[in-house]
Amino acid sequence: MKIVFFGTPQFAVPSLNGLLNEPDIAVQAVVTQPDKPRGRGKKLIPSAVKQVALENNLPVWQPHRVKKEPETLELLRQTEADFFVVVAYGQILSLEILNMPKFGSINAHGSILPQYRGAAPIQWSLYNGDRETGITAMLMDEGMDTGAMLLTAYTDVELLENAQQLGIRLAEIGADILPETLFAVAEGSIQPIPQNNEQATYAPLIQKGDYTLDWSRPAIALHNQIRAFYPNCIATFRDKPLKILATIPLGEPYWTQLPPALQILQQQYPDLSQSTGKPGEILGFAKKLGAIVQTGEGLLLLQEVQLAGKKPQSGWDFVNGMRLSVGEVLV
């Protein structure tokens, strides 16, 4: 089976590696985004997918606009591929491209479609506090993640899991179901299922404003925002920016969702309804863990933070290093 792989970030790497390890699949070429300048020296850095492709001596094509570049279009035609496989590529493919392969183009999308069509499904699923998510393999069409569904794999979402951690797990799940999907489509043993457009939700690109924390919101909403947009959510403390990297919501119904090592918090703070601080106010400290902050509804423990220009540190190191006092306020 001949395929061309389209992908760019680390999320796509397990899928490419999985296909390379299949003896009955031949990856003809890899299409990825152009190298991007990074760091102080603005050195051009290849994508994670390109690095894997080069390590495996695969042809790599990096068009700035794939559907507008005749040379790349001709190269794609010449592969005579059975499938184009697309995982987090980062460009919209034209119908001309999607229809080139014998069996069509397959995408592994990081949600249970038709939920969270769009650019950031993992982040918005966490932001909304979903307890379950997954990967959907679909037959691509011209729309934004609107193609008929082929296979869906489900997984539970842990309370303290952030977007980076969940993304690693989902990437592996996608790598597991892609070969199965390709063989089933080629054999005609799978029936594509059209999506119900009335049930569709969208996961747009994340904007800078999404990172700003509002302490008048409920603790669980802030917790979900922080883990969804990790590691970029930001507050102000002592007139300086403070990134909040990890938190723990305290109280019911969260105790049973915490790891055993953290369930001791329930014994230490059995009655949280008596808290009377204003939003953002530090009410106390959980020993060896961090500061406890009042929100608009409930309490939030700061488990990991990052001061401007500093490395990430535990909430407890932050308490001791800054000599925090009860009554200080984050804004």
Side-chain angles (χ1 to χ4, degrees):
M1 182 185 293
K2 296 189 296 183
I3 73 163
V4 175
F5 187 86
F6 292 70
T8 299
Q10 182 61 37
F11 181 82
V13 167
S15 291
L16 176 55
N17 280 330
L19 295 169
L20 288 169
N21 289 331
E22 284 287 339
D24 294 326
I25 291 177
V27 180
Q28 304 290 99
V30 166
V31 186
T32 190
Q33 294 276 53
D35 297 356
K36 291 189 175 181
R38 293 203 177 111
R40 292 181 180 177
K42 298 298 180 183
K43 182 179 179 181
L44 289 176
I45 304 297
S47 72
V49 163
K50 179 180 178 179
Q51 293 179 52
V52 173
L54 294 177
E55 289 166 6
N56 288 274
N57 299 313
L58 296 172
V60 178
W61 305 329
Q62 297 179 272
H64 287 274
R65 295 191 68 191
V66 63
K67 60 184 180 182
K68 296 288 188 180
E69 298 192 18
E71 181 181 347
T72 303
L73 294 175
E74 183 57 30
L75 288 170
L76 288 170
R77 285 191 198 93
Q78 290 176 5
T79 65
E80 298 183 345
D82 294 302
F83 290 101
F84 290 164
V85 176
V86 183
V87 183
Y89 170 48
Q91 292 190 39
I92 296 174
L93 303 184
S94 64
L95 191 60
E96 177 187 9
I97 294 172
L98 296 176
N99 288 340
M100 283 182 188
K102 179 179 178 181
F103 296 108
S105 298
I106 305 294
N107 172 242
H109 184 72
S111 78
I112 303 169
L113 289 170
Q115 293 180 317
Y116 303 114
R117 295 173 176 172
I122 297 171
Q123 288 85 349
W124 289 108
S125 177
L126 286 171
Y127 182 87
N128 290 324
D130 293 347
R131 299 285 297 275
E132 183 181 60
T133 186
I135 291 281
T136 305
M138 68 173 172
L139 195 61
M140 297 177 72
D141 62 17
E142 276 189 295
M144 175 68 75
D145 303 320
T146 56
M149 299 176 293
L150 299 165
L151 280 178
T152 301
Y154 299 83
T155 187
D156 292 334
V157 180
E158 301 296 330
L159 177 66
L160 302 185
E161 199 166 24
N162 64 35
Q164 185 180 85
Q165 295 161 338
L166 181 56
I168 290 170
R169 289 207 297 115
L170 288 175
E172 295 293 343
I173 292 171
D176 287 341
I177 69 168
L178 267 175
E180 179 183 354
T181 303
L182 298 178
F183 290 126
V185 172
E187 294 165 0
S189 61
I190 191 170
Q191 183 63 42
I193 301 172
Q195 294 185 41
N196 184 340
N197 291 327
E198 294 181 0
Q199 295 177 355
T201 60
Y202 292 88
L205 283 169
I206 299 163
Q207 306 296 323
K208 190 174 181 180
D210 295 322
Y211 300 143
T212 302
L213 298 173
D214 176 359
W215 296 99
S216 67
R217 299 179 71 220
I220 188 61
L222 288 163
H223 172 71
N224 288 337
Q225 179 184 1
I226 289 161
R227 64 196 187 118
F229 304 139
Y230 174 89
N232 295 309
C233 284
I234 196 158
T236 301
F237 182 68
R238 296 179 183 173
D239 297 322
K240 293 183 179 180
L242 176 70
K243 281 189 175 181
I244 311 297
L245 304 181
T247 54
I248 302 172
L250 303 179
E252 299 292 348
Y254 315 119
W255 301 130
T256 58
Q257 299 179 53
L258 296 179
L262 293 176
Q263 289 182 8
I264 191 173
L265 288 167
Q266 184 176 12
Q267 301 167 17
Q268 296 174 339
Y269 305 97
D271 186 4
L272 300 173
S273 61
Q274 297 177 4
S275 57
T276 57
K278 60 184 178 182
E281 182 178 352
I282 295 174
L283 297 187
F285 309 104
K287 191 173 182 180
K288 296 187 178 180
L289 288 173
I292 297 170
V293 180
Q294 176 73 58
T295 71
E297 181 183 332
L299 302 182
L300 201 58
L301 192 154
L302 305 186
Q303 190 179 28
E304 186 179 13
V305 302
Q306 185 175 7
L307 293 158
K310 303 291 185 180
K311 294 181 179 180
Q313 61 181 169
S314 72
W316 191 239
D317 286 343
F318 174 62
V319 168
N320 292 322
M322 298 295 287
R323 298 184 179 181
L324 300 192
S325 301
V326 171
E328 291 194 84
V329 177
L330 290 86
V331 294

